[in-house]
Amino acid sequence: MPDDLYQRYMAAHRANQEHAAACFTCTGTARCPAGQRLYDRFAVLQDAYLAAQKKRRP
Ligand SMILES: [Zn+2]
C-alpha cells in the first residue's frame, strides 16, 4: 500500500534525524553503526517511495 510505504519512509526519516541530533558520533560525513543502520533503512525506503511515485505518474 503506497500510503503505508510513505508512513514508513517518514518514520525512517524522523528516526534518522532524531538519532543524528542526539548522537555525538554521527556527523555529516561519518556515522556510528546504529546511525548507519537507520540511514540505510531510510535510503532503501526513500528509493522505494520515489520509485512508487514515478510509477504513479499520469
Ligand atoms: Zn550515531
Side-chain angles (χ1 to χ4, degrees), residues 1-14 45 48-49 52-53 56:
M1 204 187 282
D3 288 342
D4 177 60
L5 177 61
Y6 180 74
Q7 293 300 325
R8 286 186 291 143
Y9 165 46
M10 282 291 107
H13 176 67
R14 206 157 43 236
L45 284 166
Y49 178 71
Q53 288 293 97
R56 273 202 284 172

Side-chain angles (χ1 to χ4, degrees), residues 19-20 22-27 30-36 38:
H19 178 89
C23 182
F24 293 110
T25 307
C26 291
T27 67
R31 291 179 188 93
C32 71
Q36 185 64 51
L38 287 169

